[in-house]
Amino acid sequence: EDQLSMLQSHSMGLSGVCAAEGSVKKRLLRVGVSPGHSAYSVCQQLQEGVKELGFDVTSRQHSIMRFTVEGMYCKSCVFRIEFTLGDWEGLISAKVDLATKLLAVVVDDQVDIADFKCRTIDTIAGFGFTCTPQPTTTHVYHWDLAS
């Protein structure tokens, strides 16, 4: 736990980092990069800093896209969207909140963001819903830690 606190504190001290959380059990540090900051620059700073703290790291980048989905009225609507998107290559997770009408999609770093957004909008429109992307995509770096 002390190591994790040290890593989180170090991460949050870097310019452009908006969130840092982790798991000692999973040996994982997850860091969110604020929109408007260079994800590459933050990644480099983190990698150097984490190594200075005595950890070996392997990083993986994921992107989180958010959409507003209008026209859903029941849990079957939610299931239909999550189930359909769940088969797409590169998708890590798709979660719909019926109360807020928000869809959060997490994709791996190999996915073309613009293409994925268009496919998502078209697919959801095919169900009779209106899908509007929110303006920012958040990049999240997962750090696999070995001490």
Side-chain angles (χ1 to χ4, degrees), residues 34-77:
S34 301
H37 285 81
S38 165
Y40 178 79
S41 174
V42 171
C43 180
Q44 292 301 312
Q45 290 178 61
L46 277 169
Q47 194 161 18
E48 291 169 11
V50 170
K51 284 183 179 179
E52 286 176 12
L53 294 172
F55 293 91
D56 292 325
V57 296
T58 304
S59 65
R60 296 175 283 130
Q61 178 183 346
H62 298 158
S63 297
I64 303 171
M65 293 176 276
R66 292 173 184 84
F67 302 85
T68 303
V69 181
E70 298 289 340
M72 298 182 300
Y73 54 88
C74 66
K75 289 183 181 182
S76 292
C77 298

Side-chain angles (χ1 to χ4, degrees), residues 22-116:
S23 166
V24 173
K25 184 178 179 181
K26 293 181 181 180
R27 306 215 40 84
L28 178 82
L29 176 66
R30 184 175 310 137
V31 178
V33 178
S34 301
H37 285 81
S38 165
Y40 178 79
S41 174
V42 171
C43 180
Q44 292 301 312
Q45 290 178 61
L46 277 169
Q47 194 161 18
E48 291 169 11
V50 170
K51 284 183 179 179
E52 286 176 12
L53 294 172
F55 293 91
D56 292 325
V57 296
T58 304
S59 65
R60 296 175 283 130
Q61 178 183 346
H62 298 158
S63 297
I64 303 171
M65 293 176 276
R66 292 173 184 84
F67 302 85
T68 303
V69 181
E70 298 289 340
M72 298 182 300
Y73 54 88
C74 66
K75 289 183 181 182
S76 292
C77 298
V78 170
F79 176 77
R80 187 174 187 189
I81 293 170
E82 290 177 348
F83 182 78
T84 300
L85 298 182
D87 287 337
W88 291 7
E89 187 168 332
L91 179 80
I92 295 168
S93 70
K95 181 73 178 148
V96 178
D97 185 322
L98 184 59
T100 62
K101 301 178 183 178
L102 290 178
L103 164 63
V105 177
V106 181
V107 296
D108 68 30
D109 62 345
Q110 302 301 312
V111 169
D112 179 314
I113 299 295
D115 179 61
F116 200 94

